[in-house]
Structure formats: C-alpha cells, structure tokens
Amino acid sequence: DQQVKQNSPSLSVQEGRISILNCDYTNSMFDYFLWYKKYPAEGPTFLISISSIKDKNEDGRFTVFLNKSAKHLSLHIVPSQPGDSAVYFCAASDAGYSTLTFGKGTMLLVSP
Amino acid sequence: NAGVTQTPKFRILKIGQSMTLQCTQDMNHNYMYWYRQDPGMGLKLIYYSVGAGITDKGEVPNGYNVSRSTTEDFPLRLELAAPSQTSVYFCATRLKEAFFGQGTRLTVV
C-alpha cells in the first residue's frame, strides 16, 4: 500500500511558465515533507522541505504548499527553466525521522 | 568534505554470487539508509540504521543484510544474488534532510 503517491508520471511545461507537481499521502503520522530532484545517473538531491506546522515554504523559485486536511502537498516552480528538467520525488517522514518514504516520482520536462 | 560515498559505481554479478556495497559518510549523521530504485517504482527502503550498532528492516529487506559497526560505515550485503536484485542502490544519511550517494548500478545475470 503506497503511503506517498505521485499520480502524474510526467509533466511537460514551457520555459518561463509555472510547473506544479503534486503529491498525496495516506499516513496521518507523517510530520515532515520533502521534495527531491534527480538527474539521470546521479543520486537524489534535496530541494525543499516543509514541516506540518506550516502550510507554505518558499526558497527562490521553489514553493511547497501543504494541505494537511486533504493530505496533499504540491511543489511550484516559477519560472520554470530547461535545467529544471529532472525527476522530482516527494518524500515524507514521521516526527521521529527514523524512516523516509518516497513517492514514485514525476518526470518534469521544461522545453525552451 | 565528501558527504556520502558509495562504491562500486557499477557491478555485474552472476546469479548466486555475493557482494558488499560500501557506503561511507563524513557528515557524522546517526541515521543511514539503503534504498533501491527500480524503473518507474520510486525509492524503496531496504534497511536503515539510527546509530552505530542498531539496524532495522525497511520495506524490501529480503535477500539483503546490513551492519553498522561505526557511525561512518553502513555496508549492504547481498549473499545469493538473484535477477530480481538488478537495480540501482542508493545509500543516504540524514539529519532532517537526507543526503544521497551517487548510487551503485547492479546487474545480476
């Protein structure tokens, strides 16, 4: 049973527009949420995170929104750039930080 | 400061062979993890450790073993390699955010 779901395997966006990547979770014990970016043949790299006590966190072009009642989070990238083309993973952790559960990923393609 | 170092980067094993995937971190983090990534399947947790001497099973531990004798090292052992273990393996260490190694691409033939 998938506890973290990314229902869109892929997303195509034009350069300069907004990219919105979505993630749903089922485990109400999850307390901390993260987004990772992965290029081919490399390990995932941390992008941005959000604690359950917040509903929004911004870092430059990247903003993560959390809706706890809907068990939903989203990553907004504005403006999108071709270098943003990668696979994006949503991940979730409980308050003890002992494990980190990942979604299947969404491949983002930003075209010039 | 190397972060998380995994060796080897690539390996081909024959069915039934054994090998150890090495993972070393210099970040002094207590939490360490081993994940495998299969195409289209995201990252699945194999084993994790919350500190030296402590290990625990993740979602897909069968066919693997780990040890954690020091804070720095968290090797993953495959005893009898099977084709189902063909995958890309990632080691990670964590404080709040997890930091990943570059991965080991393993093929079992």
Side-chain angles (χ1 to χ4, degrees):
Chain A
D1 181 32
Q2 264 193 287
Q3 297 187 71
V4 178
K5 299 178 185 179
Q6 293 178 257
N7 291 322
S8 298
S10 63
L11 175 68
S12 291
V13 170
Q14 278 194 313
E15 182 178 7
R17 306 293 290 267
I18 184 171
S19 295
I20 300 176
L21 295 95
N22 292 303
C23 178
D24 297 293
Y25 62 96
T26 57
N27 189 339
S28 56
M29 298 302 291
F30 286 148
D31 188 66
Y32 190 67
F33 304 89
L34 308 91
W35 284 94
Y36 282 81
K37 177 178 179 179
K38 186 181 180 305
Y39 292 117
E42 293 185 9
T45 54
F46 170 72
L47 201 53
I48 192 169
S49 62
I50 187 166
S51 165
S52 61
I53 61 172
K54 293 185 174 181
D55 55 15
K56 178 182 173 181
N57 189 26
E58 269 183 277
D59 184 2
R61 296 186 297 114
F62 302 91
T63 302
V64 56
F65 295 92
L66 175 63
N67 182 333
K68 279 195 71 177
S69 60
K71 294 191 176 66
H72 176 83
L73 60 154
S74 61
L75 174 69
H76 292 211
I77 307 173
V78 183
S80 301
Q81 299 173 353
D84 296 329
S85 297
V87 177
Y88 288 78
F89 289 100
C90 172
S93 158
D94 60 22
Y97 298 148
S98 57
T99 60
L100 195 56
T101 303
F102 283 82
K104 291 186 177 182
T106 296
M107 181 179 292
L108 173 66
L109 178 62
V110 181
S111 54
Chain B
N1 191 343
V4 181
T5 302
Q6 288 184 239
T7 56
K9 287 188 168 52
F10 303 95
R11 183 74 185 266
I12 298 174
L13 274 185
K14 292 186 178 178
I15 293 171
Q17 285 185 319
S18 61
M19 78 165 292
T20 299
L21 283 68
Q22 302 291 346
C23 176
T24 299
Q25 56 114 348
D26 61 3
M27 306 174 86
N28 203 33
H29 290 167
N30 284 325
Y31 292 88
M32 293 189 76
Y33 307 85
W34 274 106
Y35 288 91
R36 60 178 285 173
Q37 185 190 13
D38 301 320
M41 296 302 293
L43 293 155
K44 294 195 173 182
L45 183 63
I46 306 171
Y47 270 94
Y48 67 100
S49 169
V50 300
I54 306 168
T55 62
D56 214 338
K57 294 178 181 179
E59 186 183 354
V60 289
N62 291 344
Y64 307 95
N65 274 303
V66 293
S67 59
R68 185 91 184 272
S69 56
T70 66
T71 300
E72 294 78 20
D73 300 306
F74 190 41
L76 177 72
R77 179 86 178 158
L78 283 72
E79 289 294 349
L80 290 169
S84 61
Q85 293 177 306
T86 294
S87 189
V88 181
Y89 292 83
F90 291 102
C91 176
T93 179
R94 184 181 182 199
L95 200 54
K96 283 187 81 173
E97 296 80 35
F99 298 91
F100 284 81
Q102 292 293 296
T104 295
R105 183 174 292 274
L106 175 68
T107 302
V108 181
V109 296

